[in-house]
Amino acid sequence: MKISASLRIAPALLALTFAAGAVAADVTPHDAPSHDAALPGDSIYQIDVPLVDQDGHTLTLGERSGGPVVISMFYSTCPYMCPMIIDTIKRVDHALKANGRARLRVVMVSFDSANDTPPVLKASAVKHHVDFKRWTFARAEPDGVRSIAAALDIQYRALPDGSFNHSGVLTLLDAQGRIVARTEKLGEVDPEFLKAVVAQTQPSQGPKPAH
Amino acid sequence: MGSGNPAMRVARLALLLLIACAAQADAAEYMNLRGGKFASVLPADAKNADVVVAPFRLRTVPVTNAEFLAFVQAHPQWRRDRVAQVFAESRYLSQWADADTLGTNARPDQPVTQVSWFAARAYCQSENARLPFWNEWEFAAAADATHADARSDPTWRAGILAWYAQPNQPLAVIGGAANFYGVRDLHNLVWEWVDDFNALLVASDSRDQNDPDRLKFCGAGALAMRDLDHYAVLMRIAMLSSLKAANTTANLGFRCAKDGTGDNR
């Protein structure tokens, strides 16, 4: 009885040991860099942060792009600056010709991991009348948010009242996730930034939009 | 219980292996710090409020060249000849003789420097830890050998400042005197990354500014700091907030931290 029990326990323990070893070697923390060899070394898509969008779908930073992306950060209860960030991106969007606009994607990542759940993100996106086919509002865990902000050179800190201090930055990524332009000008279109977006969304750049 | 029973011996060995594995992952020494209300030079509300530091554990010494070498050997994607540029600039580990050799310019027991924030973070994850938050670092660094908060002691302050006044000194080795918490080398050895290095100089109020120029200024960083006499700490903040996550410098290393239980001190 005892023997058979210990015989059963022994392999279980061994398996556990190897499993523990495998886990220790294989631990891939949430924002552990993936070092994807298929991506250029300077692509921010190397940062492997799982995001959840406004519909509750999980995605990675570069997953839905397939073309140029304007990426920025915000949080839903932000009273003035974030609406202005979103409005500025919409102005850039509207300044594009239809075929260029169809190629552009927009990703807004929230600072507020605690409150910006998918339904809250959805409500934010609806409030701003964005084109859901091309805009993604997303959340990540706090660790991943810090990584994305670091890669985009965006500063932010949480305040005790639940709001955030943060810098406002729009970043243009090419189809491979490389930073090609950046602006801190808000409330109006930065002409240099727009020029870069136009260049990236021209038909010769990247794949044709899917139909 | 038949200690000679082979199955039991295997079981015991497996258990020992398991413990050994767990111990190996946690080889570095960490001290428990109780945290609590703390008068940070960066007030919590960007005005005057104390911050509340949750109990945490802090590595007693910064990560050394030898330890970081072992890390890149186990995680070759962090070798200086393989790391993606998005994670580390070209000076990354440039004081080493080779991608996996320290050489004569990097002693094993010196703190590792020329490491980016991404690399420091990855190292800490390999130790089942994380980088400390700024307030944790500041909390631990407020202690002298006998007081949890020695910041009002002008002699102690002057001693710390003296180190900053002598730039370009050769990097010493780890193992300075332990402070009140048993933590070493927070001063007088190396600058250190914190997890929220990009949270330090954000404007005090980015919400009620509609003028684009003011917003821009706000992003560049204006901040209400208190206790401006505390130059040593303010210099750390100024330096950290000037960095990008892929940057490395010859004087910038790191240590790791973990969430704590608050059992001790």
Side-chain angles (χ1 to χ4, degrees), chain A:
Chain A
M1 178 76 174
K2 244 178 197 160
I3 287 168
S4 69
S6 66
L7 276 174
R8 259 182 289 136
I9 290 164
L13 270 173
L14 265 178
L16 192 61
T17 308
F18 289 122
V23 167
D26 255 357
V27 161
T28 308
H30 280 163
D31 64 336
S34 63
H35 300 274
D36 189 334
L39 287 170
D42 53 354
S43 168
I44 74 156
Y45 296 159
Q46 298 264 1
I47 298 166
D48 187 16
V49 176
L51 301 173
V52 178
D53 73 6
Q54 68 274 359
D55 297 316
H57 297 132
T58 303
L59 68 156
T60 60
L61 209 48
E63 189 174 315
R64 219 170 269 175
S65 59
V69 170
V70 171
I71 183 169
S72 189
M73 300 181 77
F74 82 112
Y75 66 105
S76 288
T77 55
C78 169
Y80 298 113
M81 196 173 182
C82 308
M84 193 183 283
I85 291 170
I86 293 166
D87 180 63
T88 307
I89 300 175
K90 284 167 73 176
R91 287 176 191 229
V92 170
D93 216 35
H94 291 152
L96 300 173
K97 291 186 178 136
N99 61 350
R101 191 181 311 134
R103 289 185 173 82
L104 187 66
R105 298 289 178 270
V106 179
V107 176
M108 300 296 304
V109 181
S110 171
F111 297 114
D112 194 350
S113 307
N115 292 313
D116 281 350
T117 57
V120 175
L121 293 169
K122 182 94 175 188
S124 262
V126 167
K127 195 172 78 184
H128 289 288
H129 307 289
V130 301
D131 175 2
F132 281 106
K133 289 197 293 291
R134 300 185 299 111
W135 287 60
T136 300
F137 282 58
R139 70 176 301 283
E141 292 304 308
D143 220 38
V145 175
R146 189 60 73 191
S147 280
I148 293 170
L152 297 174
D153 199 13
I154 290 175
Q155 302 206 319
Y156 74 98
R157 66 195 300 232
L159 298 182
D161 66 1
S163 67
F164 290 80
N165 281 348
H166 60 99
S167 54
V169 181
L170 314 188
T171 303
L172 174 65
L173 306 174
D174 71 9
Q176 311 231 257
R178 289 174 292 208
I179 295 174
V180 289
R182 187 176 189 279
T183 185
E184 296 187 15
K185 189 170 253 182
L186 300 178
E188 57 185 314
V189 171
D190 178 339
E192 289 303 308
F193 188 78
L194 177 61
K195 211 190 284 178
V197 176
V198 168
Q200 282 294 320
T201 52
Q202 263 162 16
S204 57
Q205 304 278 336
K208 289 193 162 62
H211 284 289

Side-chain angles (χ1 to χ4, degrees), chain B residues 202-218:
Chain B
V202 190
S204 57
D205 193 344
S206 54
R207 289 160 294 168
D208 51 14
Q209 308 184 33
N210 291 308
D211 172 4
D213 287 339
R214 290 192 63 199
L215 280 170
K216 201 170 158 189
F217 171 70
C218 164

